[in-house]
Amino acid sequence: KDGELDADRKYRVRNAIESAVASKYGWLAILLDSGLPVLDVLLDFYQGYTFFTDGQRQFMAILAIAGIQHGAISAMLAYRHGKGVPIAVANLMTAGLVGFIQETSACSKTGVVSQLLIDHKTLEAVESAISWGLCGYSTLIAGYLRGYQQLPPLDKATKWLSITTSLLTIPQSAYATSKRQIMESKQLYHFKDFTRLFSCEQALLLSYHFCDFASQLILLPLQLVY
């Protein structure tokens, strides 16, 4: 029993040190977490406008519901973590953008990724997946289904940009969640190499999440050919 307790103690100490290193908030992650949410929200507003002007009200409604849901849950998160009513209301009005940026700023000062930031990443990924699906589908059917005309160059460019931001946002969020689960679970501890920054294992895990999502757009490049 003493041997088991000693081994468990060593695991806890080693895991605490490696978790602290894995939770370090690097400059690249800070840059992505500061820029992608802002760009995503701006693109969502523009996509909602184009859906409205093109008479595609069903797409606009889905996008609006996603934004409202994101804002409401972000507001509840902010209030639960003691951020105050003004921040909660700001989250509700900006689809969670204010809370995301504020938590990114707080984590950049401490140098450690918080659970609240991971929660914001998850919410952003859910909304991003919805806008990704809408932009991908509306691009696929443009000019092929009755009532859906070919997209103007600007609309096509912004939809592709929205798809690209989603392909960055969603795998990044999935990776952050996977890393936290690995570091907090003794059963998954043998996967710890996948949490090391700039390692081959980290690249493999990110590539897995990226390819798992990007593969669903296999038909989209055909729009560039035909």
Side-chain angles (χ1 to χ4, degrees), residues 31-47 97 101 124 127-128 131 157-158 160-166 168-169:
L31 182 63
L32 290 174
D33 289 344
S34 301
L36 286 178
V38 176
L39 182 59
D40 196 45
V41 168
L42 292 176
L43 287 171
D44 282 348
F45 276 113
Y46 183 77
Q47 298 308 325
L97 179 61
I101 298 301
E124 180 66 26
E127 184 190 359
S128 190
S131 62
T158 55
W160 274 98
L161 182 58
S162 181
I163 291 169
T164 302
T165 58
S166 295
L168 292 173
T169 300

Side-chain angles (χ1 to χ4, degrees), residues 15-172:
N15 186 57
I17 295 173
E18 292 181 348
S19 295
V21 174
S23 298
K24 186 177 179 181
Y25 202 28
W27 64 268
L28 181 59
I30 294 172
L31 182 63
L32 290 174
D33 289 344
S34 301
L36 286 178
V38 176
L39 182 59
D40 196 45
V41 168
L42 292 176
L43 287 171
D44 282 348
F45 276 113
Y46 183 77
Q47 298 308 325
Y49 168 76
T50 58
F51 288 146
F52 178 80
T53 56
D54 292 342
Q56 300 171 6
R57 309 297 168 82
Q58 71 278 25
F59 294 158
M60 185 194 71
I62 294 172
L63 192 61
I65 291 172
I68 293 170
Q69 181 186 36
H70 186 183
I73 298 176
S74 294
M76 288 188 289
L77 273 177
Y79 187 77
R80 190 180 68 180
H81 284 81
K83 300 296 183 180
V85 174
I87 296 298
V89 173
N91 276 346
L92 184 62
M93 300 299 293
T94 61
L97 179 61
V98 170
F100 200 143
I101 298 301
Q102 184 191 51
E103 191 61 21
T104 297
S105 176
C107 291
S108 67
K109 294 175 182 177
T110 62
V112 178
V113 177
S114 67
Q115 182 58 49
L116 179 57
L117 181 60
I118 293 179
D119 292 340
H120 278 299
K121 282 175 174 280
T122 302
L123 290 174
E124 180 66 26
V126 171
E127 184 190 359
S128 190
I130 295 173
S131 62
W132 163 85
L134 290 173
C135 288
Y137 181 69
S138 61
T139 302
L140 277 173
I141 64 176
Y144 289 92
L145 293 185
R146 182 180 301 174
Y148 297 91
Q149 303 299 321
Q150 284 284 356
L151 296 173
L154 179 60
D155 289 359
K156 183 178 291 187
T158 55
K159 281 180 169 54
W160 274 98
L161 182 58
S162 181
I163 291 169
T164 302
T165 58
S166 295
L167 290 177
L168 292 173
T169 300
I170 298 168
Q172 185 194 19

